[in-house]
């Protein structure tokens, strides 16, 4: 009997040790703004696996994934940077690194996570393993004043590109030696850049301007060429409509040689030819677009809106550039995310306290999950995409 | 007689300017301040793209100036005019709410 005892103990311990093995490729996180929590979800069966709390103020939270898809780095409005373990469903690390922050990016090699801060204005860079601070880049514009940082994205070469909202600048930071960032500054790029994206091939950084109609474009393959203005004066001098919420540039919405960008102060999605950077069309939509996101195959685009149209989502057929359906998934649709191969899209309804899942072929709802004031939805496939 | 009755009825039905929004509307406005003002000014109103809107920050600014900012926005900045979605009474209530006064 005595000889069996240690064996029996070992057996019992292993039985309650690790949860069943699972992959991370079909996992995701839903931000629950109301609770300062994130729900871990899986897209194979459209279910929630658990909830992780203790993430502070998650109003306008976004996140990036570690290169192995296991962890998420959540950027909270209160300046909190939280490392969440998706497999163990717990907080693996947290640092409150500023007074107010808006988003961030993970480096090409996955070793660094950078955070865009409003207060104090600047970028802080942390080690993804330990969350130790490795670089602090205050965003002091050419005018000598601190600026809020927006539109922080990763770029190949272990670089980060970001914009200074108040100063109207774009900075390109090379972090190959993380403790000695090399920064290149582009001034006078336009008024009030409010957000930015990096194209999927890492070729261009594009910052949307609020203070004027146009987009500031930086060719990351030719940084010496400077920043150029495209889609200038797309408002054509017409009185803009009120913008109750800023559009968000997220990921690169390009299909073939066409790219899609939300207009500011116009109920339109702008269509741009990416070989000439000229506007080649506009798609009239139901309201001020916030997100214009392409299904992964580029054949369909889904658009959500600001108040007072934030209960609607429109589906656009890209080949014909026409709205094919208007759906109402619930009040206050804040965000959407396609499954990696695009057969489904998940939509958050903040005021409906739910996330709905839609079939992108039939355009019908197929599932629903409860969530407390859900905002952002992020799937692990982002871990392998430049700019996301 | 009918004329007097109609006049009296009109007086009862007319909503005087400066009336507080109904309790249901107040609930909507409260949610709007948290979420829709909050998307720029922060869910806890400590600021974001927009300025902080905590009671202590607003204490020295006149109610009329604040109401006007809500209704007409700040041209040239991302603060839009909310007049299309909010009445004057709504805006006045929001100002009191932001300042921590009233319900």
């Amino acid at each position: 009997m005595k000889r069996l005892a240690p064996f029996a103990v070992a057996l019992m311990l292993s039985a309650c040790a690790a949860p069943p093995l699972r992959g991370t490729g079909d996992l995701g996180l839903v931000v629950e703004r109301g609770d300062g929590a994130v729900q871990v979800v899986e897209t194979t069966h459209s279910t929630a696996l658990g909830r992780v709390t203790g993430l502070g103020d998650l109003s306008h939270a976004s996140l990036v994934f570690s290169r192995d898809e296991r962890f998420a780095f959540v950027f909270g409005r209160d300046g909190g940077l939280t490392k969440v373990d998706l497999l163990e469903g717990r907080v693996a690390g947290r640092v409150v690194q500023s007074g107010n922050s808006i988003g961030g990016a993970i480096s090409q090699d996955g070793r660094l996570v950078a955070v865009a801060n409003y207060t104090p204005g600047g970028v802080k860079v942390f080690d993804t393993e330990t969350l130790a601070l490795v670089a602090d880049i205050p965003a002091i514009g050419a005018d000598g004043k601190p600026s809020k940082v927006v539109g922080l994205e990763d770029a190949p070469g272990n670089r980060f590109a970001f914009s200074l909202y108040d100063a109207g600048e774009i900075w390109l930071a090379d972090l190959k030696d993380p403790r000695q960032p090399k920064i290149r500054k582009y001034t006078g790029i336009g008024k009030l850049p409010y957000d930015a994206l990096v194209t999927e091939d890492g070729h261009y950084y594009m910052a949307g301007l609020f203070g004027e109609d146009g987009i500031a474009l930086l060719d990351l393959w030719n940084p010496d060429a400077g920043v150029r203005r495209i889609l200038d004066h797309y408002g054509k001098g017409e009185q803009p409509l009120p913008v109750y919420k800023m559009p968000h540039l997220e990921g690169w919405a390009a299909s073939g040689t066409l790219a899609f960008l939300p207009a500011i102060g116009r109920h339109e999605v702008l269509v741009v030819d990416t070989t000439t950077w000229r506007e080649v069309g506009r798609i009239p939509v139901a309201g001020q677009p916030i997100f214009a996101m392409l299904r992964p195959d580029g054949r369909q685009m889904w658009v959500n809106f600001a108040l007072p149209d934030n209960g609607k989502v429109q589906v656009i057929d890209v080949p014909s550039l026409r709205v094919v359906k208007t759906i109402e998934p619930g009040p206050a649709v804040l965000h959407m995310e396609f499954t990696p191969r695009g057969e489904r899209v998940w939509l958050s309804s903040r005021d409906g306290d739910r996330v709905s899942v839609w079939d992108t072929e039939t355009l019908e709802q197929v599932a629903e999950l409860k969530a407390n004031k859900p905002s952002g939805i992020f799937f692990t496939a982002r871990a392998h995409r430049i700019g996301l | 007689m009918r004329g007097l009755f109609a006049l009296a009825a009109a007086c009862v039905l007319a909503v005087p300017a400066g009336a507080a929004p109904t309790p249901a509307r107040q609930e909507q406005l409260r949610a709007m301040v948290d979420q829709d003002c909050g998307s720029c000014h922060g869910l806890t109103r400590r600021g974001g793209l927009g300025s902080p809107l905590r009671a202590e920050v607003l204490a020295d600014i006149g109610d009329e100036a604040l109401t006007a900012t809500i209704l007409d926005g700040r041209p040239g900045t991302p603060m839009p005019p909310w007049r299309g979605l909010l009445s004057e009474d709504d805006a006045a209530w929001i100002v009191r709410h932001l300042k921590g006064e009233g319900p």
Side-chain angles (χ1 to χ4, degrees):
Chain A
M1 265 317 264
K2 257 199 229 162
R3 254 183 294 156
L4 276 175
F7 177 75
V9 169
L11 193 64
M12 282 194 311
L13 281 176
S14 68
C16 34
L21 280 183
R22 68 159 302 131
T24 53
D26 62 347
L27 295 184
L29 290 178
V30 174
V31 174
E32 290 185 301
R33 184 183 268 203
D35 278 338
V38 290
Q39 275 197 54
V40 183
V41 297
E42 57 79 24
T43 60
T44 299
H45 306 289
S46 303
T47 68
L49 299 177
R51 188 178 260 119
V52 182
T53 58
L55 278 83
D57 182 349
L58 292 185
S59 51
H60 197 289
S62 64
L63 59 92
V64 295
F65 290 100
S66 61
R67 60 184 281 132
D68 62 0
E69 295 182 345
R70 176 157 170 191
F71 297 98
F73 297 93
V74 185
F75 310 107
R77 175 58 72 103
D78 57 0
L81 169 64
T82 313
K83 183 175 179 179
V84 175
D85 184 328
L86 273 72
L87 288 180
E88 294 197 328
R90 61 179 193 91
V91 170
R94 178 169 161 84
V95 55
V96 180
Q97 51 82 48
S98 80
N100 199 319
S101 96
I102 200 58
I106 192 150
S107 61
Q108 182 184 31
D109 65 5
R111 295 210 167 120
L112 305 171
V113 56
V115 191
N117 289 324
Y118 279 178
T119 315
V123 172
K124 287 196 180 163
V125 185
F126 300 86
D127 179 300
T128 50
E129 199 66 35
T130 62
L131 293 190
L133 179 72
V134 299
D136 185 348
I137 306 170
I140 311 289
D143 55 4
K145 296 194 219 137
S147 241
K148 300 182 178 67
V149 173
V150 299
L152 172 58
E153 308 292 342
D154 60 286
N158 244 37
R159 293 179 295 177
F160 291 109
F162 52 94
S163 299
L164 274 61
Y165 173 75
D166 304 281
E169 299 181 15
I170 290 174
W171 289 14
L172 189 56
D174 183 328
L175 266 86
K176 287 198 232 344
D177 178 358
R179 301 213 175 249
Q180 305 225 39
K182 292 185 183 43
I183 302 181
R184 181 129 186 208
K185 302 178 184 182
Y186 301 86
T187 56
I189 59 99
K191 293 201 189 102
L192 301 180
Y194 63 87
D195 199 0
L197 60 82
V198 161
T199 56
E200 198 138 4
D201 55 5
H203 193 156
Y204 296 100
Y205 176 80
M206 302 170 65
L209 301 173
F210 181 84
E212 40 192 320
D213 304 336
I215 310 273
L217 182 77
L218 173 63
D219 180 346
L220 295 168
W221 294 4
N222 295 294
D224 289 344
V227 171
R228 148 183 177 200
R229 178 71 58 84
I230 60 166
L231 296 181
D232 216 0
H233 306 305
Y234 64 74
K236 300 191 164 90
E238 288 159 21
Q239 179 69 15
L241 298 165
V243 177
Y244 294 117
K245 181 169 168 177
M246 288 298 206
H248 287 52
L249 300 179
E250 178 178 24
W252 177 224
S255 177
T257 55
L258 294 183
F260 302 91
L261 297 164
I264 294 232
R266 306 183 66 84
H267 292 182
E268 290 167 343
V269 173
L270 306 175
V271 187
V272 183
D273 180 326
T274 59
T275 59
T276 61
W277 296 115
R278 288 198 142 74
E279 181 196 325
V280 293
R282 297 173 179 218
I283 308 171
V285 290
Q288 165 66 56
I290 302 296
F291 286 99
M293 288 175 65
L294 278 175
R295 196 171 68 176
D297 67 348
R299 194 169 172 189
Q300 217 180 65
M301 180 167 55
W302 289 53
V303 185
N304 71 336
F305 304 102
L307 276 179
D309 307 296
N310 64 1
K312 295 187 194 133
V313 170
Q314 289 191 306
V315 184
I316 291 168
D317 171 71
V318 170
S320 63
L321 297 180
R322 286 194 3 241
V323 174
V324 295
K325 191 162 187 187
T326 301
I327 62 177
E328 304 206 7
V333 178
L334 296 194
H335 197 225
M336 53 185 137
E337 180 86 327
F338 290 93
T339 50
R341 293 189 194 223
E343 78 282 3
R344 292 185 169 184
V345 64
W346 288 40
L347 308 174
S348 59
S349 166
R350 178 196 71 203
D351 295 347
D353 289 317
R354 60 181 183 268
V355 170
S356 55
V357 182
W358 295 68
D359 182 311
T360 62
E361 192 75 26
T362 63
L363 304 183
E364 299 289 330
Q365 181 175 335
V366 295
E368 194 169 284
L369 293 81
K370 283 205 199 342
N372 188 345
K373 301 260 167 297
S375 57
I377 305 172
F378 305 87
F379 295 154
T380 51
R382 287 169 177 249
H384 316 296
R385 289 180 57 188
I386 296 172
L388 279 187
Chain B
M1 251 327 247
R2 240 190 272 157
L4 265 174
F5 181 77
L7 184 62
C11 287
V12 166
L13 289 170
V15 177
T22 64
R25 181 61 174 162
Q26 288 181 26
E27 266 314 296
Q28 286 180 337
L29 294 177
R30 228 174 250 121
M32 206 169 164
V33 167
D34 284 347
Q35 299 292 343
D36 301 303
C37 306
S39 58
C40 281
H41 291 280
L43 201 64
T44 55
R45 307 211 286 276
R46 287 199 168 81
L49 199 73
S51 52
L53 296 180
R54 309 284 298 169
E56 53 271 20
V57 167
L58 300 177
D60 292 335
I61 310 177
D63 284 11
E64 276 181 26
L66 291 171
T67 307
T69 300
I70 292 173
L71 292 172
D72 299 318
R74 288 238 158 94
T77 76
M79 176 60 186
W82 292 83
R83 200 178 277 279
L85 301 182
L86 295 175
S87 70
E88 304 229 354
D89 291 337
D90 288 337
W93 183 90
I94 288 175
V95 170
R96 286 195 302 278
H97 174 65
L98 290 174
K99 286 189 166 186
E101 302 156 12

